Amino acid sequence: MDKFTRNYVDSFMADLIARNPGEKEFHQAVREVVESVASYVTAYPHLIDLKILERMTEPERVIIFRVPWTDDRGKVQINRGYRVQMNSALGPYKGGIRFHNSVNLSIMKFLAFEQIFKNSLTTLPMGGAKGGSDFSPRGKSDAEVMRFCQSFMTELQRHIGQDTDVPAGDIGVGGREIGFLFGQYKRLRDEFTGTLTGKGLAWGGSLLRPEATGFGACYFAQEMLATRGKSFEGQTVLISGAGNVAQYAARKAMELGAKVVTLSDSDGFIHDPEGLNEEKWKFVMELKNIRRGRISEYAEKYPSAKYYPGERPWRIPCDIAMPCATQNEIEEADARKLVEGGCYCVTEGANMPTTPEAIAVFQSAKLLYSPGKASNAGGVATSGLEMTQNSIRQHWTAEEVDAHLHRIMSDIHASCIKYGKEEDGYINYVKGANIAGFIKVAGAMVDQGLV
Ligand code: NDP
C-alpha cells in the first residue's frame, strides 16, 4: 500500500471511530474492508470525491425499538429490538435477525455492513441489513418465544415488506421463530407475501434453505481445496457450533468423505476421535432442534467422545477447520494452535469468527483461508432463491436449488481468485471477496446519484 493510500485509510478509520464510539465489532469489520479496497478507491479518485466509503459505512436507516412481553409467570419483560438498513444500492434490504443476549448496536452494524458485500457477491439483487434483539430464546418456553416474536414483529412490520426489506434467521432464530414472526406479520398486514425467508416448506419456504449455509460453506471449501489438488476425502475436520450452520456443514463434510471430530456450543466442545456418523448426526439434530439441549449430552451418549467445558475446539489436530458459531471465536493463540496442529484450510461458516490477529497468522502461514462473507453466502443466496420462487409462485426441486447454490458458490470463489490472487500465487480470499463485493455496490451507488 502506498503512503497516500495508507494515510487515506488511517484518516478514514479515525473519523469512523470518532463518529461511532465504542462500536468495536463495527470498527473491526469496516477496517477489514477498507484495508482491502483502499488501493482501488485511491486509484479511482471520483470514489473519494463522492464519499462512497463514508456513505457505505453510514446506515441508510437504524431502527431501535422497545419489545415488551410477559413471561410464563406473568412478569413483564423488556428487550431492545434493532433493524439496521445499511445499503439498498443493489436491491431491497436483506439480512438475518439474531436473538442473543450479546446483541447490541455494534454487532448489528457489523453484521449489516458485512451483509452488503456478501449479498453483492451472490450476484442476486439484494441490499444489506441485519436485525435482532438482546433476547435469548435459550431457557424460554415455546409460549414465551412466541409472545416475544409477536411483540418484536408488531413494531418491525412497519419497516419491512417484500420490496423493501426481507429478514431471515441467524443465531437464535430458526424455523420456530421464523414461523411466529411470519404469523404475526401476516396477521397485522393482512398479506401472505415472501417478506421473511427461511419459511416452512408448506407456507412458502424453499427446499434446502435450512441446509444452504452449511452446504454452501462446504462447496466453497471444495473449490479452495481443489486449488491445491485436495478434497474433503479422508480429512479431519473441526467444526464449532452445533446450530443450523454447524449441523449442515457437518452433514455435507461427512457426505464428502471427511471425518468431523468436534462440535461445540457456548458452554464447551465435544471431541469424538471416531468422528460423527449418520446416527450421531441425527442425535445432534434431535438434541439441538427438538429437545434444545446442550452439546455435553453428546459425550454422555457416546463413550468415544469427551466433553471439554469452557473450551473451544481449536487445539485438536486437524486438516480443515470450519468455525460455525459466532464472531471472534478464533483468536491469535487459537490460530497458532490450528497451524501447529496441521490445519491447512479454514473456511468460515460464521460471520467474522476470526480476529484480525488470527487472520494474519493464517495468511502468513499461507493457509487456505476464506472469510464468512464469501464462504457462508450460500444462506442468503438461497434466501434470494426463496424470494424468486415466492415471486413467480413456483416451488423448485431440491436438485434445482442445489444446482443454483453450487453455481453461486463456485462463482464467488472465482471472483475471489480474480481480485485476490497475489504476485506469489497465494489467494488472499479476504481481499478478493472485499474488492469483488465492493466494486458492484460502489458502481450502483455512483449510478444512483447522491442518495
Ligand atoms: P444457531 O443459533 O443455530 O447456532 C449458533 C451456535 O453457535 C450454537 O451452537 C450456539 O451455542 C453457538 N454460539 C452462539 N453464540 C456463541 C458464543 N457467544 N460463544 C460460543 N458459541 C456460541 O445459529 P446459526 O447456526 O444460524 O449461526 C451461526 C453463525 O453463522 C453466526 O455467526 C451467523 O451469523 C452465521 N450465519 C448464519 C446463517 C444462517 O443461514 N443461519 C447465514 C450466514 C451466516 P448455544 O446453543 O450455547 O447458544
Side-chain angles (χ1 to χ4, degrees):
M1 190 181 287
D2 61 39
K3 204 163 162 228
F4 176 76
T5 308
R6 184 76 259 158
N7 287 340
Y8 171 74
V9 171
D10 291 345
S11 102
F12 180 88
M13 285 309 302
D15 283 353
L16 181 109
I17 291 166
R19 276 173 73 76
N20 302 276
E23 297 179 359
K24 61 183 184 351
E25 293 85 0
F26 182 52
H27 304 164
Q28 181 183 338
V30 172
R31 182 181 291 282
E32 187 208 279
V33 170
V34 173
E35 294 270 353
S36 296
V37 304
S39 300
Y40 182 87
V41 172
T42 52
Y44 294 93
H46 72 290
L47 298 176
I48 300 183
D49 297 340
L50 291 172
K51 295 210 156 90
I52 290 295
L53 271 177
E54 286 82 348
R55 283 153 64 187
M56 266 186 204
T57 49
E58 189 66 33
E60 289 178 10
R61 195 173 295 105
V62 176
I63 300 140
I64 301 183
F65 51 99
R66 178 170 69 207
V67 189
W69 57 284
T70 46
D71 66 20
D72 286 346
R73 293 169 304 151
K75 289 229 166 358
V76 172
Q77 301 286 344
I78 305 294
N79 285 95
R80 186 172 294 169
Y82 299 87
R83 187 72 180 164
V84 176
Q85 297 177 332
M86 202 70 169
N87 192 297
S88 61
L90 297 184
Y93 305 109
K94 182 93 196 85
I97 293 178
R98 174 176 294 190
F99 289 164
H100 192 268
N101 51 21
S102 62
V103 162
N104 58 34
L105 185 58
S106 171
I107 290 178
M108 293 287 98
K109 282 169 72 176
F110 114 66
L111 289 163
F113 182 71
E114 289 277 290
Q115 200 78 44
I116 306 174
F117 306 95
K118 184 188 309 195
N119 293 1
S120 168
L121 285 168
T122 67
T123 70
L124 301 175
M126 301 181 291
K130 201 80 185 191
S133 175
D134 58 353
F135 167 86
S136 181
R138 182 173 171 184
K140 309 286 192 307
S141 69
D142 286 352
E144 288 177 322
V145 171
M146 183 178 75
R147 286 197 293 277
F148 174 81
C149 287
Q150 291 181 340
S151 181
F152 182 85
M153 183 53 86
T154 300
E155 175 58 33
L156 186 69
Q157 56 89 21
R158 296 175 220 287
H159 310 286
I160 62 174
Q162 61 175 341
D163 299 317
T164 320
D165 183 352
V166 183
D170 190 77
I171 291 178
V173 178
R176 174 183 62 170
E177 290 76 16
I178 291 288
F180 295 149
L181 292 165
F182 181 81
Q184 183 74 349
Y185 181 84
K186 181 167 63 84
R187 176 200 208 182
L188 293 169
R189 297 280 289 255
D190 195 21
E191 59 178 48
F192 196 112
T193 52
T195 297
L196 286 152
T197 56
K199 299 185 289 295
L201 272 185
W203 39 279
S206 172
L207 282 163
L208 280 193
R209 176 61 189 90
E211 291 87 344
T213 309
F215 279 20
C218 288
Y219 296 155
F220 195 90
Q222 274 187 301
E223 300 277 345
M224 295 168 82
L225 293 168
T227 64
R228 298 211 182 158
K230 306 237 184 200
S231 74
F232 271 103
E233 187 64 46
Q235 304 296 285
T236 298
V237 179
L238 306 184
I239 293 182
S240 65
N244 172 266
V245 180
Q247 290 163 8
Y248 288 103
R251 167 97 223 164
K252 186 52 78 178
M254 281 157 58
E255 269 174 38
L256 295 170
K259 185 155 88 165
V260 176
V261 295
T262 64
L263 289 172
S264 71
D265 58 26
S266 44
D267 296 331
F269 82 94
I270 57 106
H271 178 213
D272 184 349
E274 289 178 6
L276 265 70
N277 58 23
E278 182 73 20
E279 187 217 312
K280 292 171 180 174
W281 182 81
K282 283 191 175 147
F283 171 80
V284 173
M285 294 297 281
E286 202 256 345
L287 172 70
K288 296 308 277 187
N289 303 345
I290 297 172
R291 287 200 284 124
R292 299 185 190 275
R294 309 306 299 158
I295 201 65
S296 56
E297 291 174 49
Y298 181 104
E300 288 160 21
K301 167 100 176 160
Y302 297 107
S304 58
K306 193 162 164 24
Y307 176 62
Y308 297 92
E311 284 194 62
R312 298 166 178 164
W314 313 124
R315 64 181 169 78
I316 305 294
C318 70
D319 302 299
I320 299 167
M322 299 186 74
C324 296
T326 193
Q327 64 274 0
N328 294 331
E329 55 168 316
I330 300 183
E331 295 178 280
E332 188 176 356
D334 301 312
R336 291 197 191 288
K337 282 183 210 145
L338 279 166
V339 175
E340 282 160 21
C343 177
Y344 66 90
C345 176
V346 179
T347 306
E348 294 184 350
N351 284 310
M352 208 170 74
T354 311
T355 64
E357 298 76 20
I359 294 175
V361 171
F362 293 150
Q363 291 186 332
S364 62
K366 303 285 177 199
L367 260 65
L368 293 168
Y369 162 71
S370 69
K373 63 169 75 75
S375 43
N376 72 28
V380 72
T382 308
S383 277
L385 302 176
E386 182 174 330
M387 289 164 74
T388 305
Q389 293 170 74
N390 293 159
S391 299
I392 60 176
R393 297 190 191 279
Q394 278 186 8
H395 211 68
W396 294 340
T397 63
E399 290 70 27
E400 283 173 294
V401 179
D402 199 39
H404 281 292
L405 175 62
H406 235 122
R407 179 187 48 77
I408 290 169
M409 298 315 295
S410 109
D411 287 352
I412 295 174
H413 185 265
S415 298
C416 290
I417 292 191
K418 181 171 174 192
Y419 295 103
K421 198 166 197 164
E422 297 189 331
E423 275 170 17
D424 63 358
Y426 178 66
I427 302 160
N428 184 334
Y429 285 90
V430 176
K431 187 170 143 200
N434 285 334
I435 297 179
F438 173 82
I439 288 176
K440 219 168 104 194
V441 182
M445 289 175 74
V446 171
D447 292 346
Q448 291 169 26
L450 190 52
V451 292

